[in-house]
Amino acid sequence: HGGMILNGIQNSRVMNNTANGNVTGIQILNSTKIRVQQNTTSRNRCWGIYLYSTTASQIYSNTVEYNNRSCPEWGKDAGCGSAGIVLTKASDRNQIAWNSLNYNGDGIYQGNLPETASNDLEIFGNYLSHSIANGIEATFSFRNYIHHNRFVEDNYGGWFGFAQQLRFE
């Protein structure tokens, strides 16, 4: 189901890998201080890079493209909950920078319920284009700093419903 799954890992690097054509490209669960750098994840059916309860980590300089899926109610390649980079289940204090995110459901998606939101994120210097839904979605989050990203032909550049103490520049 996934190109790579890491669970309970600390102080490690995931570098220079290719994870294409899976359900999820790179999954990192219950981990801390992970650097995910210079990987390529493409044409996965759900997510390119997925952080679940993973904190104090960096997602830098990755190419994340065409992570998209179809569903009957919306049609072929309609997004349907897919995304390039996903952070959920309190994946707090992470940095996401200098990534190229193209043709995903969402470019970067963070949380969908208050109890699963990821807080204190810094998201900067990313290139996000042609997202079916949003370039960046950061719903129900607190204290996220989202700055100096480039949005090109996304459905919406940013979607920040119920976010608090958000800084968007």
Side-chain angles (χ1 to χ4, degrees), residues 106 108-112 133-141 144 146 151 154-163 166 168:
D106 283 319
I108 299 170
Y109 174 81
Q110 176 286 130
N112 62 350
N134 309 299
I136 298 173
E137 180 174 341
T139 306
F140 293 108
S141 57
N144 289 334
I146 300 170
F151 303 94
D154 299 300
N155 187 42
Y156 290 96
W159 181 280
F160 308 117
F162 305 100
L166 169 71
F168 180 66

Side-chain angles (χ1 to χ4, degrees), residues 113-153:
L113 297 170
E115 57 273 9
T116 61
S118 299
N119 303 305
D120 303 303
L121 303 175
E122 185 177 16
I123 301 172
F124 64 97
N126 298 288
Y127 179 86
L128 302 109
S129 76
H130 301 93
S131 301
I132 302 301
N134 309 299
I136 298 173
E137 180 174 341
T139 306
F140 293 108
S141 57
F142 286 87
R143 299 171 306 276
N144 289 334
Y145 181 29
I146 300 170
H147 61 99
H148 298 95
N149 297 286
R150 184 169 180 199
F151 303 94
V152 176
E153 296 187 35

Side-chain angles (χ1 to χ4, degrees), residues 12 16-17 51 57 66 68 72 76 85 92 100 102 114 119-120 122 152 162-163:
S12 298
N16 300 311
N17 297 287
L51 302 184
S57 296
Y66 297 97
N68 199 346
K76 183 175 182 341
I85 297 174
D92 299 332
S100 179
N102 306 295
N119 303 305
D120 303 303
E122 185 177 16
V152 176
F162 305 100

Side-chain angles (χ1 to χ4, degrees), residues 7-38:
N7 190 0
I9 305 299
Q10 296 181 355
N11 300 309
S12 298
R13 293 183 185 184
V14 178
M15 297 180 67
N16 300 311
N17 297 287
T18 300
N20 299 337
N22 302 290
V23 173
T24 300
I26 299 170
Q27 300 178 70
I28 303 173
L29 317 167
N30 309 304
S31 298
T32 188
K33 296 182 181 175
I34 308 298
R35 179 171 283 201
V36 180
Q37 187 170 359
Q38 298 174 325

Side-chain angles (χ1 to χ4, degrees), residues 15-97:
M15 297 180 67
N16 300 311
N17 297 287
T18 300
N20 299 337
N22 302 290
V23 173
T24 300
I26 299 170
Q27 300 178 70
I28 303 173
L29 317 167
N30 309 304
S31 298
T32 188
K33 296 182 181 175
I34 308 298
R35 179 171 283 201
V36 180
Q37 187 170 359
Q38 298 174 325
N39 298 285
T40 299
T41 63
S42 180
R43 301 196 185 279
N44 296 293
R45 287 191 21 212
C46 288
W47 308 298
I49 299 170
Y50 175 51
L51 302 184
Y52 176 96
S53 194
T54 295
T55 60
S57 296
Q58 299 87 32
I59 312 299
Y60 291 164
S61 302
N62 298 283
T63 301
V64 184
E65 300 178 321
Y66 297 97
N67 296 286
N68 199 346
R69 66 178 154 192
S70 305
C71 54
E73 62 270 24
W74 295 325
K76 183 175 182 341
D77 296 331
C80 306
S82 61
I85 297 174
V86 176
L87 299 99
T88 191
K89 204 64 169 177
S91 288
D92 299 332
R93 300 179 321 280
N94 293 302
Q95 290 184 324
I96 300 144

